[in-house]
Amino acid sequence: MSDEHYYLELCDNPVQFENASSVNNVFFDEANKQVFAVRSGGATGVVVKGPEDKSSVAFRMDDKGEVKCIKFSIGNKILAVQRTPKSVDFINFIPDYPHLEFSQECKMKNASILGFCWTNWNEIVFITDQGIEFYQVLPDKRSLKLLKSQSINVNWYMYCPETAVILLSTTFQGNVLQPFAFKSGTMSKMSKFEIELPVVPKPAKLNLSERDIAVANIYGQLYVMYLKHHSRTTDSPCAEVVLYQLPREGSCKKTNVLNLNTTGKFALNVVDNLVVVHHQSTQTSIIFDIKLREPDCALNVHQPVLPPRSIHPYRIPLTGYQWYLQVKLPPTVNLLQDKGKLIDFLLRRRDCKMVILSVCSQMLNGEDKGSLPVVATVFDKLNQVFKEYLEAEQTYTVAMESGPSRGSAARERPVRTQAVIDQSDMYTHVLSSFTEKKDVSHKFIIAVLMEYIRSLNQVQITVQHYLYELVIKTLVHHSLFYMLHQFLQYHVLSDSKPLACLLLSLEGTYPAAHQLSLDMLKRLSTANDEIVEVLLSKQQVLGALRFIRSVGGNDNISARKFLDAALQTADQMLFYTIFRFFEQRNLRLRGSPSFNPGEHCEEHVVYFKQVFGEQALMKQATV
């Protein structure tokens, strides 16, 4: 099966352990993305590996019993090891600190430690069957300080390291969940909530298992995901994933339902804000995007974005591995036929830019050529994201220029994600090559270009001149001069100096382009110098002089520039007229018709005398 079939794959750089058969236990620390391989025998050997080789650590500990749990604090500064149900041991890995163990027992009598979580480099939470205990670790004193504790019956717990929230399962059925949030030495009790269990035939009772619960940060929000299995006697026996959004303040709400459309054993992952559900019996996986909503379904009820697929096969040698799952975006292009929905899906992914641009190219070329309304929809979606980024950047710039206000938090510069597709991206990777296609009608090419310009104007993004140039060159290439004239006359193509210069260069092909260019330059009002240069280059010296007088700039123009242009025409009477104009200007401004040395007109005076005689020079007026 081709690679294009698979949209899920294992990363190229797995965490790998040699001689895996000698490893007694393997522990995964989700917070630090580390795997601990523990080998016992005399001394306990530990190898710690993360997704990058440079994060590998190897060390030995005294063998004081079976290791039940082992984790580094953030930054690998302090190691915590649980060997008994009553205590946790600690070892400093901070440079210049003694590499000696110290221990902390749980405070609650008759309690058993279910596990522990680091919430900071020196803050740790013990979770026991009777509650939680929040400690600060004092590495210099080799001791712990109890910051806060809470008594509550606990069945099991979940931890979300991104948000530092611990979820405790309470009550007999285990379906009442109590969350706690941790930040900078504080512990906050959040609103508890109840997971709605499926109805089962009496007298059976269902308990909530931690195997059916996952906690994840999706699109910046904390969610509790419940894998809900329905009884086969119900009308809808298929399993589903129910999402509960857990805000920092306020009550937890059931927000999304993911229809799995089958039954069996499942496992959950969250990758790039996508919920990935693995089905054991079929060995396939499906993905859900909670921001994509089905138009014909009830609010927030989701179907899989793509059809079920296996994870891309990988040849595994005889060694130990831990894998990271990742989404391959290119195969999704052909699996999701709705282009608008596809763009919505891609815009929310991390490495999306080149895939989105390939979708745009595919949409415009060959057999997959999309209809103009579809093209317009895609352009509008891309430019809306582009506009939102530009506005955020502008807001940040204004805030920085005005300086920090009292009591306001420091503003962070907006991050330019790969979802920001600007005009340069579209021009370089899509539109410039599209206009050169031989198998696409010129009408469709022009319609697409104008649709992109319309979309930019709709969200008030200034259109770059190179896009207008692309339109003009396409029109000229297909001899559509009437349409070009219309576009310019009705200002479909916005005025700019580069555009006016392009029109001038087209005069040989389209003579009317010269006047269209001048008209555009006049409308710009800030382009007087360019207009003069254009007219002089065309040897329209009197026209240039008349124009500069009409805008009131004749007192400041260079006499030499106009006299040079008049000489190049080889028209002696034209030279006489221009020379006389500047003599009169000199007389009016300085009381003398003579040219100043700084004007560098000596050679023009000599030429005038040779042709017309010295007596033709204007005499200085006498009082």
Side-chain angles (χ1 to χ4, degrees):
M1 198 171 286
S2 69
D3 286 352
E4 292 302 307
H5 176 84
Y6 305 99
Y7 54 76
L8 288 170
E9 66 179 357
L10 303 174
C11 68
D12 294 332
N13 186 28
V15 178
Q16 178 180 350
F17 292 98
E18 304 297 338
N19 302 318
S21 59
S22 65
V23 174
N24 299 93
N25 281 305
V26 175
F27 301 91
F28 178 62
D29 176 12
E30 187 176 357
N32 288 323
K33 302 291 187 290
Q34 291 176 325
V35 181
F36 290 74
V38 179
R39 295 179 173 93
S40 299
T44 302
V46 181
V47 178
V48 187
K49 291 193 175 186
E52 299 178 4
D53 290 337
K54 64 182 181 181
S55 63
S56 298
V57 180
F59 56 90
R60 290 184 174 275
M61 306 183 299
D62 293 337
D63 193 345
K64 297 182 178 179
E66 181 187 354
V67 174
K68 299 183 181 297
C69 185
I70 182 169
K71 296 176 188 177
F72 267 118
S73 70
I74 297 167
N76 293 359
K77 294 187 176 181
I78 306 170
L79 180 71
V81 185
Q82 183 188 353
R83 297 183 176 96
T84 74
K86 297 293 183 183
S87 65
V88 176
D89 300 325
F90 297 87
I91 305 174
N92 283 329
F93 275 75
I94 303 171
D96 302 326
Y97 276 68
H99 195 71
L100 300 173
E101 288 194 20
F102 54 100
S103 186
Q104 176 66 49
E105 289 191 359
C106 61
K107 296 291 186 182
M108 300 176 189
K109 292 183 178 180
N110 303 320
S112 294
I113 298 174
L114 302 178
F116 59 85
C117 302
W118 287 102
T119 60
N120 206 334
W121 77 268
N122 65 339
E123 293 170 4
I124 193 169
V125 181
F126 291 2
I127 301 97
T128 75
D129 55 1
Q130 295 180 18
I132 56 175
E133 301 172 7
F134 183 34
Y135 291 95
Q136 180 183 21
V137 183
L138 307 172
D140 52 338
K141 298 180 179 178
R142 294 171 53 220
S143 64
L144 278 73
K145 175 185 176 183
L146 181 65
L147 299 176
K148 198 170 183 179
S149 62
Q150 177 80 45
S151 295
I152 184 173
N153 289 328
V154 180
N155 302 310
W156 46 264
Y157 73 96
M158 290 274 174
Y159 180 53
C160 180
E162 292 91 345
T163 56
V165 170
I166 293 177
L167 201 65
L168 305 180
S169 163
T170 67
T171 70
F172 176 74
Q173 286 187 281
N175 64 325
V176 175
L177 301 181
Q178 175 63 66
F180 289 88
F182 299 85
K183 186 177 181 181
S184 303
T186 62
M187 181 177 88
S188 306
K189 187 177 183 180
M190 300 166 67
S191 299
K192 67 179 178 181
F193 63 100
E194 184 174 342
I195 297 288
E196 182 183 327
L197 298 175
V199 177
V200 293
K202 293 181 179 180
K205 284 190 176 182
L206 190 66
N207 291 340
L208 182 65
S209 166
E210 60 187 302
R211 292 192 303 271
D212 295 330
I213 291 289
V215 186
N217 196 25
I218 307 174
Y219 292 119
Q221 299 291 329
L222 181 61
Y223 287 89
V224 176
M225 299 186 290
Y226 169 43
L227 184 55
K228 191 173 185 179
H229 299 272
H230 290 281
S231 169
R232 294 185 180 274
T233 60
T234 60
D235 294 334
S236 302
C238 293
E240 58 191 21
V241 178
V242 183
L243 271 65
Y244 295 81
Q245 187 178 339
L246 190 56
R248 285 277 177 174
E249 296 179 0
S251 57
C252 181
K253 295 181 292 186
K254 176 180 172 181
T255 55
N256 306 78
V257 176
L258 316 181
N259 286 335
L260 304 185
N261 304 316
T262 188
T263 59
K265 291 183 178 180
F266 302 91
L268 300 176
N269 284 118
V270 173
V271 182
D272 200 6
N273 291 312
L274 296 169
V275 180
V276 184
V277 184
H278 310 283
H279 188 220
Q280 186 182 63
S281 60
T282 61
Q283 296 185 357
T284 60
S285 304
I286 50 177
I287 60 175
F288 295 87
D289 186 346
I290 64 172
K291 286 202 173 181
L292 284 181
R293 295 178 181 174
E294 296 293 330
D296 55 346
C297 289
L299 183 65
N300 294 342
V301 176
H302 306 266
Q303 294 294 333
V305 177
L306 302 170
R309 288 288 188 271
S310 300
I311 298 173
H312 194 293
Y314 202 102
R315 188 179 297 278
I316 302 176
L318 293 175
T319 187
Y321 278 87
Q322 289 285 333
W323 298 93
Y324 291 92
L325 188 67
Q326 56 195 26
V327 178
K328 290 171 60 181
L329 293 180
T332 66
V333 173
N334 297 320
L335 292 173
L336 199 52
Q337 299 303 316
D338 184 329
K339 288 292 184 288
K341 189 174 180 181
L342 174 62
I343 292 297
D344 286 339
F345 172 78
L346 292 174
L347 282 170
R348 301 187 185 107
R349 310 286 73 84
R350 275 194 300 265
D351 303 318
C352 64
K353 175 168 285 189
M354 296 313 298
V355 181
I356 289 174
L357 291 170
S358 74
V359 169
C360 293
S361 294
Q362 180 183 327
M363 177 179 67
L364 300 177
N365 298 332
E367 296 179 0
D368 195 45
K369 187 170 65 179
S371 65
L372 209 56
V374 173
V375 172
T377 298
V378 170
F379 286 163
D380 288 348
K381 289 178 182 294
L382 298 181
N383 287 328
Q384 184 58 42
V385 174
F386 183 25
K387 176 65 173 179
E388 289 169 2
Y389 169 76
L390 292 177
E391 288 178 340
E393 184 73 23
Q394 185 179 20
T395 302
Y396 171 81
T397 302
V398 171
M400 290 298 100
E401 289 174 351
S402 61
S405 57
R406 182 177 297 177
S408 65
R411 188 181 292 271
E412 292 186 5
R413 183 167 199 149
V415 177
R416 181 170 183 144
T417 67
Q418 287 206 15
V420 178
I421 310 288
D422 63 20
Q423 296 175 69
S424 175
D425 296 323
M426 285 296 294
Y427 176 85
T428 304
H429 298 284
V430 180
L431 297 178
S432 58
S433 58
F434 169 62
T435 57
E436 298 171 0
K437 290 287 181 181
K438 305 296 184 185
D439 57 344
V440 181
S441 74
H442 63 268
K443 289 183 179 179
F444 184 66
I445 291 174
I446 293 164
V448 167
L449 294 176
M450 298 313 298
E451 199 58 55
Y452 185 62
I453 289 171
R454 174 209 59 79
S455 179
L456 290 167
N457 286 326
Q458 181 174 285
V459 290
Q460 299 177 319
I461 296 175
T462 303
V463 181
Q464 294 297 315
H465 66 85
Y466 49 76
L467 291 174
Y468 289 136
E469 289 175 9
L470 199 57
V471 173
I472 291 174
K473 288 177 180 177
T474 304
L475 291 169
V476 171
H477 179 73
H478 294 284
S479 301
L480 297 172
F481 301 118
Y482 175 75
M483 187 178 291
L484 171 58
H485 202 111
Q486 294 269 301
F487 282 175
L488 292 168
Q489 184 177 356
Y490 293 104
H491 308 296
V492 176
L493 307 177
S494 297
D495 296 343
S496 72
K497 291 180 184 179
L499 214 57
C501 292
L502 174 63
L503 287 170
L504 276 176
S505 71
L506 298 172
E507 184 181 7
T509 308
Y510 179 43
H514 174 69
Q515 189 57 47
L516 289 169
S517 170
L518 286 181
D519 293 343
M520 182 178 290
L521 289 169
K522 287 177 183 177
R523 289 194 298 270
L524 287 169
S525 72
T526 58
N528 295 339
D529 292 342
E530 284 83 354
I531 295 175
V532 169
E533 293 293 340
V534 168
L535 292 170
L536 291 179
S537 70
K538 301 296 180 183
Q539 296 192 337
Q540 297 179 21
V541 186
L542 280 176
L545 197 55
R546 280 194 294 269
F547 169 75
I548 208 68
R549 290 182 68 183
S550 71
V551 296
N554 50 304
D555 287 352
N556 301 315
I557 58 174
S558 165
R560 179 178 178 175
K561 178 184 291 187
F562 277 77
L563 291 170
D564 279 342
L567 266 178
Q568 290 172 8
T569 66
D571 184 338
Q572 292 180 344
M573 290 313 298
L574 174 64
F575 182 83
Y576 180 89
T577 303
I578 299 300
F579 192 91
R580 183 67 78 206
F581 169 82
F582 283 106
E583 278 189 319
Q584 291 171 345
R585 185 187 76 166
N586 294 342
L587 184 63
R588 177 170 52 84
L589 295 178
R590 299 194 296 267
S592 170
S594 302
F595 292 93
N596 283 338
E599 293 182 274
H600 306 293
C601 294
E602 293 82 4
E603 62 181 286
H604 304 97
V605 173
V606 171
Y607 175 79
F608 186 90
K609 289 178 182 179
Q610 289 174 349
V611 176
F612 303 106
E614 189 168 348
Q615 71 279 2
L617 289 171
M618 184 180 285
K619 301 295 187 291
Q620 185 167 344
T622 57
V623 180

